[in-house]
Amino acid sequence: LHTPSENMIDGQRYLAELQMIHECNAKTDPACTPTSKRMVISALFSEAKQSLGEETPKFLKTLLDDMALLDGNFGQYIGLYSFNFAEVAAEMRMYMSEYFFFKGSLTGPPCKEDVNWFVLKNPVPLAAADAERAKQIQGENVRPVQPLNDRVIWSV
């Protein structure tokens, strides 16, 4: 969970960004050889419009509760808790119909290249209190925006 977002749309940063990183390698079933294959599904979060009944998804509230116990160590979270991506997908389904696709790299060291990025176009609501809580747990943990260079971004 990044606060604020690392990806931007039309020059706009969002309150937060959840990057779900998937990797297929020699140890996964089925195995990917000779090289690993990586993809990131990224959800951007904007301030919930409470007057319209928008609220933070349940999975994110649970994630914030758990991460507060682990001082924001997401790697430790994945190792200790049974994070259920199926539940996340069920809550996120309504935001997944449109996305941007591009080839890039992971945003954390060692910033491995050749990653397929899928950034959801429709931002997910995040209550202001939950956005502030995420900042308290995570701090501002964003990689600087990278130049596009020759990268092509597809709108799907």
Side-chain angles (χ1 to χ4, degrees):
L1 184 65
H2 295 277
T3 56
S5 68
E6 291 188 315
N7 283 293
M8 297 170 48
I9 297 177
D10 294 329
Q12 177 186 350
R13 273 201 200 273
Y14 288 79
L15 289 176
E17 179 176 355
L18 180 65
Q19 297 173 355
M20 295 164 275
I21 302 168
H22 307 271
E23 183 170 14
C24 180
N25 57 43
K27 296 179 184 176
T28 57
D29 185 18
C32 295
T33 54
T35 61
S36 295
K37 295 181 177 143
R38 293 173 201 87
M39 74 175 217
V40 177
I41 299 172
S42 177
L44 303 172
F45 291 83
S46 62
E47 189 167 346
K49 296 175 184 80
Q50 293 179 322
S51 62
L52 298 177
E54 292 182 345
E55 57 186 36
T56 303
K58 183 181 173 202
F59 81 85
L60 188 58
K61 285 182 170 283
T62 301
L63 175 67
L64 289 172
D65 289 344
D66 293 344
M67 287 180 67
L69 297 173
L70 299 170
D71 295 326
N73 185 333
F74 193 71
Q76 185 179 4
Y77 177 79
I78 294 295
L80 293 176
Y81 294 83
S82 55
F83 191 72
N84 188 335
F85 280 108
E87 289 176 15
V88 174
E91 282 193 81
M92 298 289 291
R93 190 173 321 273
M94 66 190 314
Y95 304 99
M96 295 179 158
S97 62
E98 298 178 308
Y99 56 89
F100 295 102
F101 170 81
F102 61 91
K103 293 286 238 178
S105 65
L106 294 178
T107 63
C111 301
K112 294 178 182 175
E113 296 284 338
D114 198 27
V115 177
N116 293 318
W117 278 82
F118 299 85
V119 179
L120 305 182
K121 283 185 184 180
N122 300 311
V124 180
L126 179 63
D130 293 325
E132 186 57 37
R133 187 164 182 230
K135 279 185 199 173
Q136 290 173 353
I137 294 169
Q138 290 291 105
E140 286 202 12
N141 59 344
V142 297
R143 177 184 182 187
V145 173
Q146 302 298 299
L148 285 176
N149 296 324
D150 293 331
R151 187 176 302 130
V152 175
I153 298 176
W154 299 91
S155 179
V156 181

